[in-house]
Amino acid sequence: MNRRELFRCVLGTAAGFATGCSRNQGGHKSEVFDSAVRKLPAGLPHISFTDVTRQAGIDFVHSSGERTHQLPEDMGSGVAWGDYDNDGFPDLYLVNQPGAWGEAAGPHSLASRLYHNNGDGTFTDVTERAGVANRGGFGMGAAWGDYDNDGFLDLYVTNYGRSVLYHNNGDGAFRDVTERAGVANHRWAATPLWFDYDNDGYLDLYVPNYVDYDLKGIPATPPTRWSGVNVPFTLNPLVFSPVPNRLYHNNHDGTFSDVAAELGVADAEGRTLVANFSDFNFNGYPDLFIANDISSNRLWQNLGRSRFLDISAPSWIVDNRSTMAAAIGDFDGDGDNDMFHTHWIGEGYALYQNLWMEQGGHGPLHFEDAADMYGCGSIGMSCAGWGTFFFDFDNDGRLDILAVNGSSLENAANPKLLVAQRPFLFWSKWPDGYFDLARCGAAGDALERPVVGRGAAFADYDRDGDLDMIVTTNHGRPMLLRNDGGNRNHWLAIRLRGTRSNRQGIGAKLWLKAGAKRYYREYGLQGSYLSCSAADAWFGLGQERETETLTVAWPSGTRQIFKDLPIDRVLIITENSATWEEDRAARSRG
């Protein structure tokens, strides 16, 4: 079914989509149930997320003026957490679009904004001083990455047109080095990904590109009216051709070379929105997953020595649904990474369970869609899903899931608006599965409000020992959601500092033993739609008061083991150092 047909199906039957429909890719059977009608279990966390956007000093509105029924307007924009000044508190970059589609950007156009974290729960807009307004681009996404290993996070912003690389000068200011670096792209770019695919100690940059959105030569047709809703052809990505992605290899001298076609990972036939990495089979090199809209998803196994193998079909990950975002994490706690995907209306969500450990840690990679078995699949049938991530919001040791929604269909009563939808906050109660707390009032009023959601990212921005989050909305204000409610579970956050590996330690693997609990984390995983979360490896410990061992395997091959680490704090571990240090800046100001 293509999107034109799906529009007709959705508008007529959306109310009936909330009941089971399983799409198991591996041929395995799953029990189908809808967590929307499941009785909530005992022991719910006493946590609510409070919208503190205005009191935190974030005065931001996405885009301006009326919609002109153009696809790039409706797809943006994202958000990125990153501590650009190394004071221990994550700062916030919100991507914006200068105005309505086709309007020339000027000095007074809306800009993307950089908010400095003041360490007291508030933020200060430092955009102009920092020089990262991105006024020349139609903004989409952003990601922080220290590409030159100087200890300061740099910023890549994707746009429709010329994307921008801002180099961090280390003094609170940035400079545009896009042309010298060779990463302008000049396509419609989506969610950027920093990762070190060849383990040479320098971060490379993967830039997903969506479609060739050029109305020249495209025959204009009257909007189709289905169930009282106009659907202009300009909002249908099937009308437009896909374009290849970029893999910019870091040349170690401030410049990059596009090697995507050479290495076979350009995916010229995919309409790509998100890229993510993980060493799924523990061969020491990060594999590359590509999430495509109305095109088949792709998984390339990294064989090392700049060689990739397309294992999309044999791994059972091929999925022709419209994948808008893909989060990666070990949701079942078996020691390998799984994936959660959001999709467009009528397609539900996917929870791909990695069978590597079940196979004894050898043989080919296989993934099974277990979303309906765990209660987080068919529940999303009536929604257009976007930003998503795994995170442990109650510090109980299990990875929960946020899924942000917001229709890309126009409001029948007012076509100038898109249809707002509520998000899902899936709480993990293992082994019973996931239970949505957002729509039953168990996570605070803020998550019950329908929004036209797009990007999402998490960080412990106030350094109080639990994970907060921010959700961006299309043509609206973001929601900075503070984690409240008296969580008494323990936690440990690890920040890495590479020496032989890339400075951020992106791609390192961490195994933690604490009492009866065993955890696996891969450092720096991203993937939420157009957005970038804080890189710290976060471990919720529940009621465990002690840790036994933490093992860190760096991309360089270095392996370190630490015993009896203190809990309820942020620890900094440096590659090849026998000791750790505490992030005292965050503790003293928090």
Side-chain angles (χ1 to χ4, degrees):
M1 178 182 297
N2 64 34
R3 179 164 288 186
R4 287 185 182 274
E5 295 169 335
L6 190 56
F7 272 128
R8 184 179 293 109
C9 180
V10 166
L11 292 172
T13 63
F17 274 144
T19 54
C21 175
S22 179
R23 294 189 54 171
N24 239 302
Q25 297 299 312
H28 299 267
K29 294 181 179 180
S30 293
E31 175 189 358
V32 178
F33 57 80
D34 181 2
S35 62
V37 297
R38 299 168 68 202
K39 182 180 179 181
L40 291 176
L44 293 179
H46 299 290
I47 290 173
S48 63
F49 284 91
T50 306
D51 188 345
V52 296
T53 312
R54 290 186 179 274
Q55 69 190 68
I58 297 175
D59 184 16
F60 179 92
V61 180
H62 177 260
S63 196
S64 66
E66 295 184 355
R67 292 178 56 254
T68 61
H69 313 285
Q70 305 294 324
L71 192 57
E73 286 180 330
D74 293 352
M75 298 289 283
S77 297
V79 58
W81 289 105
D83 183 8
Y84 76 89
D85 58 351
N86 294 334
D87 67 352
F89 285 84
D91 308 297
L92 191 60
Y93 188 79
L94 283 156
V95 183
N96 213 342
Q97 298 171 345
W101 180 254
E103 289 184 0
H108 302 294
S109 299
L110 287 182
S112 300
R113 311 306 297 177
L114 175 60
Y115 289 93
H116 176 260
N117 191 330
N118 300 323
D120 59 2
T122 68
F123 293 79
T124 299
D125 187 342
V126 295
T127 308
E128 303 305 329
R129 183 175 68 198
V132 291
N134 187 42
R135 281 196 174 88
F138 204 79
M140 299 305 297
W144 297 93
D146 183 5
Y147 74 89
D148 56 355
N149 291 334
D150 66 353
F152 292 93
L153 292 179
D154 310 297
L155 180 64
Y156 190 74
V157 184
T158 56
N159 294 310
Y160 175 93
R162 177 183 182 268
S163 295
V164 183
L165 176 61
Y166 291 108
H167 178 266
N168 190 337
N169 299 329
D171 58 0
F174 295 73
R175 68 180 185 277
D176 183 342
V177 296
T178 309
E179 301 308 323
R180 179 184 183 277
V183 293
N185 188 37
H186 292 292
R187 293 170 177 169
W188 180 0
T191 312
L193 173 70
W194 292 104
F195 77 130
D196 185 4
Y197 77 86
D198 54 356
N199 290 345
D200 65 353
Y202 285 80
L203 290 179
D204 310 297
L205 177 64
Y206 195 89
V207 181
N209 290 307
Y210 191 42
V211 297
D212 182 14
Y213 194 81
D214 186 353
L215 299 181
K216 296 178 180 178
I218 301 293
T221 58
T224 304
R225 192 169 180 83
W226 291 327
S227 298
V229 177
N230 284 329
V231 182
F233 80 98
T234 55
L235 297 180
N236 187 353
L238 278 173
V239 173
F240 306 95
S241 300
V243 290
N245 303 327
R246 311 272 197 186
L247 174 55
Y248 290 113
H249 176 261
N250 193 324
N251 299 325
H252 308 180
D253 59 1
T255 68
F256 294 78
S257 299
D258 182 9
V259 297
E262 175 187 342
L263 301 186
V265 295
D267 194 19
E269 297 180 357
R271 296 170 176 84
T272 308
L273 291 173
V274 170
N276 212 337
F277 76 89
S278 177
D279 183 3
F280 287 113
N281 64 346
F282 298 94
N283 72 343
Y285 290 91
D287 306 312
L288 181 62
F289 176 78
I290 303 299
N292 286 324
D293 184 14
I294 45 179
S295 317
S296 294
N297 294 332
R298 287 286 178 264
L299 177 60
W300 283 288
Q301 185 175 341
N302 191 336
L303 305 178
R305 299 184 179 181
S306 297
R307 294 175 300 149
F308 287 87
L309 176 67
D310 186 348
I311 60 169
S312 309
S315 67
W316 306 337
I317 207 70
V318 169
D319 191 335
N320 289 313
R321 286 178 282 183
S322 303
T323 306
M324 317 309 284
I328 294 180
D330 182 15
F331 86 90
D332 53 5
D334 67 350
D336 56 26
N337 275 333
D338 314 290
M339 285 191 280
F340 180 80
H341 298 176
T342 56
H343 297 113
W344 199 68
I345 303 171
E347 299 173 340
Y349 302 138
L351 181 63
Y352 280 103
Q353 195 166 17
N354 189 347
L355 305 181
W356 178 254
M357 288 301 177
E358 292 184 20
Q359 299 169 173
H362 57 79
L365 279 169
H366 290 125
F367 293 82
E368 176 185 70
D369 184 357
D372 284 320
M373 184 167 65
Y374 290 108
C376 57
S378 299
I379 187 175
M381 277 289 198
S382 61
C383 298
W386 303 87
T388 186
F389 47 73
F390 287 107
F391 73 142
D392 185 3
F393 72 83
D394 59 343
N395 287 339
D396 68 349
R398 289 291 180 182
L399 291 180
D400 312 301
I401 303 172
L402 177 77
V404 172
N405 301 305
S407 181
S408 52
L409 292 177
E410 297 178 329
N411 191 314
N414 183 358
K416 297 177 182 178
L417 303 176
L418 298 176
V419 177
Q421 296 177 326
R422 290 182 292 179
F424 291 102
L425 180 65
F426 293 116
W427 174 61
S428 174
K429 184 174 175 57
W430 191 260
D432 299 330
Y434 283 102
F435 296 83
D436 176 39
L437 304 188
R439 300 189 176 201
C440 64
D445 295 342
L447 288 174
E448 293 188 75
R449 180 164 63 93
V451 296
V452 184
R454 290 296 181 263
F458 66 84
D460 180 14
Y461 81 89
D462 51 2
R463 289 305 187 202
D464 64 349
D466 52 36
L467 291 173
D468 316 292
M469 56 187 176
I470 187 166
V471 174
T472 66
T473 66
N474 184 269
H475 275 71
R477 295 184 180 274
M479 294 190 299
L480 177 62
L481 301 174
R482 188 182 64 204
N483 190 334
D484 293 329
N487 181 12
R488 297 182 179 179
N489 286 333
H490 297 291
W491 58 280
L492 175 63
I494 302 295
R495 185 175 306 145
L496 298 182
R497 183 183 295 155
T499 54
R500 290 179 57 202
S501 304
N502 65 84
R503 173 77 178 202
Q504 283 180 267
I506 300 297
K509 303 176 183 68
L510 298 92
W511 294 269
L512 178 69
K513 294 174 63 177
K517 292 184 171 64
R518 304 291 185 270
Y519 306 85
Y520 170 63
R521 299 286 186 267
E522 196 164 356
Y523 197 79
L525 294 180
Q526 297 299 331
S528 178
Y529 180 72
L530 301 180
S531 301
C532 170
S533 295
D536 295 354
W538 191 273
F539 300 92
L541 302 177
Q543 294 303 302
E544 296 290 345
R545 296 179 177 273
E546 297 178 345
T547 65
E548 296 179 29
T549 59
L550 174 72
T551 302
V552 182
W554 295 83
S556 66
T558 298
R559 184 176 289 258
Q560 295 168 268
I561 299 178
F562 299 88
K563 296 184 178 180
D564 303 321
L565 294 176
I567 63 173
D568 297 335
R569 62 201 68 193
V570 180
L571 302 182
I572 301 172
I573 291 178
T574 301
E575 188 175 14
N576 290 319
S577 174
T579 61
W580 50 266
E581 60 182 293
E582 185 177 346
D583 186 351
R584 297 187 181 277
R587 285 178 64 83
S588 64
R589 293 177 61 187

